[in-house]
Amino acid sequence: LFYQYVQYLEKQGEVDHKTVFIDGTKLESRAGRYSFVWRGNAEKGLEKAKAAALEQTGCKELPELEALLAEKAKGFEMVSGKGKRKSPEQKEWEKWNHLCQQWRKYEEQLKIMGDDRNSYSKTDGDATFMRMKDDYMKNGQLKPGYNIQIATEGQYTLAYGVFANPTDTKTLIPFLNEIEQHYFDLPQHIVADAGYGSEQNYEDILTNRQRIPLITHAQSRQEQKK
């Protein structure tokens, strides 16, 4: 329906695609506010788990540790429940198994975050913790959310994209790719505020796309004050 709406505007002559205006906003996810997982904690936890596993078992890789646990479990009988005493072998196996689970957990957390995110929500793995301006005092709060990018012309919304990266600078190029792939050919002029100003973005628009970026660079306000 949205694609048909954009095509209808073109047929009616409401848009001519000479200029596109891009801006973004952050929308809160329905995930729990305190369900955060941080990259720094995951990286530190993974380092500790690897160091402990190496010291206690001599294993340098997770598959090696898993194979050791499987082999060691064959040498004794597992017991559990009230009144049953665990053997020293089982206690050691459980200790190593805990390290294995920690190692696996932290690797999975880093895999979910990928290379371009520093956090995610346990109840919504696609949501990233971003600073939201939602109270009358303009106090920013970190909440799980998405960075919504919108392209407009003539006050019509012609394209939108949903991103997990909280920084507008890093969403511009993938958003322009989505516009070209799904919506329409980029016009000659691309307009955005200083939040999108970076050398990488200027080079991509000027050199790769052969368009003109009307985007203020990030330090322009400081230079004007001087």
Side-chain angles (χ1 to χ4, degrees):
L1 288 175
F2 188 76
Y3 296 148
Q4 292 175 16
Y5 152 76
V6 174
Q7 292 170 1
Y8 179 77
L9 290 175
E10 294 173 352
K11 292 178 181 178
Q12 294 298 314
E14 290 291 327
V15 295
D16 54 17
H17 294 311
K18 291 182 179 179
T19 303
V20 66
F21 299 83
I22 293 176
D23 204 354
T25 188
K26 295 179 176 66
L27 297 183
E28 186 177 353
S29 166
R30 296 187 67 177
R33 292 189 182 184
Y34 305 105
S35 58
F36 36 73
V37 176
W38 301 103
R39 177 180 293 277
N41 294 339
E43 289 176 343
K44 290 178 183 177
L46 181 59
E47 288 179 6
K48 289 182 179 179
K50 285 183 175 181
L54 180 61
E55 180 182 356
Q56 297 177 29
T57 68
C59 296
K60 297 181 179 180
E61 301 294 336
L62 182 59
E64 185 182 0
L65 178 57
E66 291 173 338
L68 177 63
L69 286 170
E71 183 65 28
K72 190 175 179 61
K74 298 176 183 178
F76 63 91
E77 182 182 355
M78 290 279 187
V79 297
S80 62
K82 190 174 181 180
K84 294 185 179 180
R85 186 182 298 275
K86 297 179 181 179
S87 65
E89 291 81 7
Q90 181 174 346
K91 291 180 180 179
E92 185 177 51
W93 183 91
E94 290 179 349
K95 185 178 179 181
W96 293 357
N97 185 53
H98 176 71
L99 287 175
C100 183
Q101 292 175 355
Q102 292 293 101
W103 191 335
R104 192 182 297 119
K105 179 185 77 171
Y106 291 126
E107 279 195 345
E108 181 63 24
Q109 289 178 351
L110 292 171
K111 182 180 178 182
I112 292 173
M113 273 181 268
D115 297 328
D116 57 349
R117 290 202 290 166
N118 290 320
S119 64
Y120 75 90
S121 169
K122 293 178 183 177
T123 52
D124 183 359
D126 294 324
T128 304
F129 277 80
M130 307 178 183
R131 196 160 295 282
M132 306 281 183
K133 296 179 181 178
D134 59 350
D135 63 6
Y136 69 95
M137 293 295 290
K138 301 298 182 183
N139 294 321
Q141 297 183 8
L142 283 174
K143 296 179 181 178
Y146 296 93
N147 192 348
I148 313 300
Q149 296 294 309
I150 299 171
T152 69
E153 181 190 346
Q155 299 185 359
Y156 293 108
T157 298
L158 301 183
Y160 66 91
V162 182
F163 299 92
N165 197 311
T167 308
D168 287 338
T169 310
K170 295 182 179 180
T171 61
L172 182 60
I173 293 176
F175 185 40
L176 294 178
N177 291 338
E178 284 194 13
I179 292 175
E180 289 186 310
Q181 183 178 357
H182 298 298
Y183 296 99
F184 51 84
D185 292 333
L186 287 172
Q188 186 67 15
H189 297 96
I190 298 171
V191 184
D193 61 31
Y196 298 85
S198 72
E199 183 177 353
Q200 183 181 9
N201 289 343
Y202 295 142
E203 184 178 6
D204 176 77
I205 295 172
L206 287 166
T207 305
N208 299 338
R209 305 179 196 272
Q210 301 292 313
R211 301 295 193 272
I212 299 174
L214 302 179
I215 303 174
T216 310
H217 65 87
Q219 302 300 321
S220 61
R221 290 186 179 179
Q222 286 80 350
E223 290 181 0
Q224 288 173 3
K225 288 179 182 179
K226 292 178 182 178

